[in-house]
Amino acid sequence: MIALSFNFAHPFKGRVLLRNLDSKTPVGCHRHFDSEGRNDFEIPLDIKEDGRYRVALDWGYEDRNFFHQSDILVRSGKLVSDQDLIPFLLNE
């Protein structure tokens, strides 16, 4: 399983959006996530097919809104490229 692992300076409460960039239909999936007050947490990504994906995080903290977007590449069920995912680490 591929998951985003975080060590934020603050807890995370927001949306995680995942979109397959190789799909002919631009449909993605999103879900709400709450780290429940933890700064260290993991968000599992439900990736069933190999390909290029865009992962976007949208969250709020102390009356401020944040957004981060990165592209990843998955082959044989494993992450092979995380070109923009700094400071995020991906686990398998």
Side-chain angles (χ1 to χ4, degrees), residues 10-74:
H10 57 79
F12 178 90
K13 187 172 187 176
R15 294 184 309 158
V16 179
L17 302 102
L18 179 67
R19 187 167 71 114
N20 186 334
L21 297 176
D22 294 332
S23 176
K24 291 182 175 39
T25 57
V27 177
C29 64
H30 79 276
R31 65 184 182 135
H32 293 275
F33 187 84
D34 184 348
S35 70
E36 300 173 350
R38 298 182 319 260
N39 294 17
D40 294 326
F41 56 93
E42 217 174 68
I43 299 174
L45 298 178
D46 188 24
I47 296 178
K48 296 184 181 359
E49 298 179 16
D50 289 354
R52 295 177 308 127
Y53 290 85
R54 178 156 295 146
V55 179
L57 305 174
D58 178 12
W59 74 98
Y61 183 71
E62 293 184 343
D63 297 324
R64 294 175 61 195
N65 293 316
F66 300 92
F67 181 83
H68 178 81
Q69 176 176 292
S70 297
D71 293 348
I72 61 172
L73 177 62
V74 175

